[in-house]
Amino acid sequence: MNALFMQIVHHIKELKAILLQQKENGVSIGFVPTMGALHEGHLSLVRKCKQSNDITVVSIYVNPAQFNNKNDLKSYPRDSERDCKLLSSEKCNIVFIPDDKEMYPVPDTREFNFGLMEQVMEGVHRTGHFNGVAKIVSKLFEAVEPDKAYFGQKDFQQLAIIRKLVKMNHYDIEIVACPIVREKNGLAMSSRNTLLTKEQRNAAPLIFKVIKEASNNLTSHHSVKSVKEYVRNTINSNKLLKLEYYEIVERNTLKPVSEISLKIPLTACIAVYAGNIRLIDNIDIN
Ligand code: PAF
């Protein structure tokens, strides 16, 4: 493969043919699935992928199946020309940009069951979201068959679901979790940040400030109930923000806890609305 040129591919058949030829030469394939509107967070995944794989494949596809809100799907930022320029400067090898017909030639009626993992947080507030994620990620994994796939820790629950999907389907793929990339003011990078007004953008860093403060002050003496109340009141005291949930869960099982134990790894997760824009973040507690 010519390392100087990035190939843009729209069809699974073509993608498979290119990758098969490479695999026959024994090269390793790294994969970064995205929905485009790339930012530094995505680019950090691409850089990490390039460090440990011979070929880096990035997909750009806004997957309708994972949106439970039509307006969110409609307003999701799209700019594949800009994305391709960014990927080309990162020396990405292949960009896969399919359309809906390519990814869903027939309706995908599969129902995944992730048990408790989808019965909390995003799973409760975005009905069907993880089923849609599992549909597209399984299709993409089967199209690319990578050795390693890279996901951001900002989507903490998605990462846990994808690890489970890999186990359930016996995919021979290593899932690599990459740290959240933040703006200087602490706001977690997200494609949705571009949709925020200037005022909302100024208010949004409060989200990370509050979860960081809450996690720094947590000891086994605190009740989770009082921490939740503190987070809710602080977020909602800013009239541009509205808390959807703040939950402290066991890091591996995603089981919500009602008491802080310093023995079990915990993660605090939050979802906040700034107008119609939904922002999520999380922080490890112990
Ligand atoms: O995290 C995302 O951008 C999406 O959920 C993913 C993994 C690309 C599937 O559409």
Side-chain angles (χ1 to χ4, degrees), residues 104-128:
Y104 295 102
V106 292
D108 185 345
T109 54
R110 287 177 295 167
E111 291 287 341
F112 295 82
N113 182 354
F114 296 105
L116 175 76
M117 278 190 175
E118 61 181 343
Q119 290 159 20
V120 291
M121 305 189 292
E122 297 298 286
V124 174
H125 292 279
R126 301 185 71 189
T127 321

Side-chain angles (χ1 to χ4, degrees), residues 162-200:
I162 287 169
R163 286 191 196 284
K164 194 157 181 182
L165 177 75
V166 166
K167 275 202 187 128
M168 276 161 50
N169 288 356
H170 305 279
Y171 291 134
D172 189 10
I173 301 171
E174 183 189 331
I175 301 300
V176 184
C178 302
I180 300 175
V181 178
R182 298 186 178 281
E183 295 186 2
K184 275 202 191 99
N185 57 22
L187 177 64
M189 290 207 181
S190 162
S191 303
R192 287 188 172 87
N193 291 355
T194 58
L195 302 173
L196 297 170
T197 62
K198 200 168 157 230
E199 291 73 22
Q200 289 166 339

Side-chain angles (χ1 to χ4, degrees), residues 25-255:
N25 295 334
V27 305
S28 58
I29 313 281
F31 179 43
V32 183
T34 81
M35 297 206 298
L38 304 181
H39 50 70
E40 268 304 307
H42 295 113
L43 300 182
S44 75
L45 305 182
V46 174
R47 287 172 200 140
K48 187 103 189 250
C49 181
K50 281 200 67 79
Q51 279 167 16
S52 355
N53 299 278
D54 300 316
I55 286 182
T56 290
V57 181
V58 175
S59 65
I60 297 177
Y61 178 62
V62 182
N63 170 37
Q66 71 187 75
F67 285 79
N68 59 330
N69 176 327
K70 276 195 186 127
N71 288 333
D72 189 23
L73 172 62
K74 209 167 139 196
S75 63
Y76 199 85
R78 293 161 171 89
D79 191 348
S80 56
E81 208 173 299
R82 176 184 167 275
D83 291 341
C84 285
K85 276 190 193 140
L86 286 171
L87 291 172
S88 168
S89 43
E90 293 299 331
K91 302 198 168 43
C92 165
N93 304 98
I94 300 173
V95 190
F96 176 50
I97 314 181
D99 63 11
D100 291 343
K101 257 210 279 186
E102 187 67 15
M103 292 320 294
Y104 295 102
V106 292
D108 185 345
T109 54
R110 287 177 295 167
E111 291 287 341
F112 295 82
N113 182 354
F114 296 105
L116 175 76
M117 278 190 175
E118 61 181 343
Q119 290 159 20
V120 291
M121 305 189 292
E122 297 298 286
V124 174
H125 292 279
R126 301 185 71 189
T127 321
H129 169 66
F130 289 123
N131 206 55
V133 169
K135 281 180 187 174
I136 195 65
V137 171
S138 59
K139 281 169 180 280
L140 291 169
F141 279 177
E142 282 157 30
V144 179
E145 295 187 59
D147 297 286
K148 294 184 167 76
Y150 295 75
F151 293 88
Q153 262 157 351
K154 184 171 86 69
D155 295 298
F156 165 78
Q157 192 172 3
Q158 169 173 279
L159 197 49
I161 294 270
I162 287 169
R163 286 191 196 284
K164 194 157 181 182
L165 177 75
V166 166
K167 275 202 187 128
M168 276 161 50
N169 288 356
H170 305 279
Y171 291 134
D172 189 10
I173 301 171
E174 183 189 331
I175 301 300
V176 184
C178 302
I180 300 175
V181 178
R182 298 186 178 281
E183 295 186 2
K184 275 202 191 99
N185 57 22
L187 177 64
M189 290 207 181
S190 162
S191 303
R192 287 188 172 87
N193 291 355
T194 58
L195 302 173
L196 297 170
T197 62
K198 200 168 157 230
E199 291 73 22
Q200 289 166 339
R201 220 168 215 280
N202 289 337
L206 182 64
I207 300 168
F208 181 56
K209 189 164 174 264
V210 175
I211 59 170
K212 197 166 87 178
E213 223 165 65
S215 71
N216 284 345
N217 294 332
L218 270 177
T219 66
S220 45
H221 306 300
H222 283 89
S223 79
V224 167
K225 196 166 165 242
S226 68
V227 180
K228 280 185 171 178
E229 240 168 61
Y230 166 74
V231 170
R232 179 170 296 277
N233 291 339
T234 316
I235 292 288
N236 290 350
S237 68
N238 185 310
K239 62 181 189 318
L240 296 179
L241 304 176
K242 183 142 183 45
L243 184 87
E244 185 171 59
Y245 68 77
Y246 169 80
E247 200 67 77
I248 300 177
V249 298
E250 290 182 7
R251 199 169 302 148
N252 297 326
T253 63
L254 307 196
K255 191 168 163 245

